[in-house]
Amino acid sequence: MRYREFVLSPYGVIKIKSLGYIEKQHPNTQIPKKGTRKRPLSPEQKQENKIISGIRITVEHAIAGIKESVKNFV
């Protein structure tokens, strides 16, 4: 999965990536935390992951809507 770039605040650009795509990282990159059986995620980490995934899915749906409207236009 490629990252999607979007503006979260007027202070800068935030990039969100999936766990399967970790290479060079922008300083503002937000990557969901990953837990294991021996080291489960804390409630704070789970909450942070929910926020990141909520933003990411909103952006993904917006991109899909744009692609769909362009496909119907052409």
Side-chain angles (χ1 to χ4, degrees), residues 17-62:
K17 296 183 179 184
S18 70
L19 289 173
Y21 187 82
I22 300 175
E23 288 182 3
K24 288 184 179 180
Q25 294 182 11
H26 187 272
N28 292 340
T29 300
Q30 297 292 320
I31 299 175
K33 305 294 185 267
K34 186 175 181 182
T36 63
R37 286 186 186 180
K38 291 183 179 181
R39 292 186 113 176
L41 294 177
S42 69
E44 293 84 18
Q45 290 173 322
K46 288 181 183 182
Q47 184 65 28
E48 185 178 325
N49 282 355
K50 277 191 166 194
I51 293 169
I52 291 172
S53 65
I55 294 169
R56 194 184 103 246
I57 197 66
T58 302
V59 172
E60 293 288 343
H61 284 153

